[in-house]
Amino acid sequence: MTLHRRLFAAPFALALIAAASGCGQRAAEEPIIPSTPLRAVDTPPPDYPLEIGCDQVGGKVVLQLTVGAEGKPTRANVLTSSGVPALDAAATKGVQRWRFEAATRNGKPVSTDIQVPVTFHAPAERPEHCGQAAG
């Protein structure tokens, strides 16, 4: 084969290899859709438990929260307890009301796990039902 024929044949052979392997076809067939992160829409603070209002305690609970493809929490587990069971329960119950815009992958909503800290502060004033200390 002469030098001229080799130079002509090389680009043609590369084109055949590229076509056989599917190079360059994915972009034409399937557009790449960027993923989007989970976004909070409505996350009101959980209610402070009335049954411990007289104790004037606060604390921080860290939850492992699974947000489903519908944007609603599907699971909430306590990762780090506040040390006060009523606060842990209130946090777990309260996040069930939260709503999110689900994360997406390839344009489709997907379930996402996140860690959520929930901090409770003791009521600023003792509730009336606690009674007054004798003095």
Side-chain angles (χ1 to χ4, degrees), residues 5-94:
R5 284 189 182 168
R6 279 190 213 155
L7 292 176
F8 176 74
F12 181 70
L14 289 176
L16 286 176
I17 292 169
S21 66
C23 290
Q25 291 181 0
R26 179 177 168 83
E29 293 173 9
E30 299 175 28
I32 296 175
I33 301 170
S35 296
T36 60
L38 182 69
R39 188 176 71 81
V41 174
D42 186 27
T43 56
D47 296 327
Y48 186 89
L50 295 176
E51 67 271 18
I52 63 169
C54 297
D55 299 334
Q56 294 288 294
V57 296
K60 179 179 175 181
V61 182
V62 179
L63 301 173
Q64 177 76 29
L65 187 63
T66 300
V67 179
E70 305 80 34
K72 298 176 184 176
T74 58
R75 184 175 55 100
N77 294 325
V78 176
L79 285 178
T80 306
S81 173
S82 65
V84 181
L87 293 179
D88 296 351
T92 302
K93 180 180 177 186

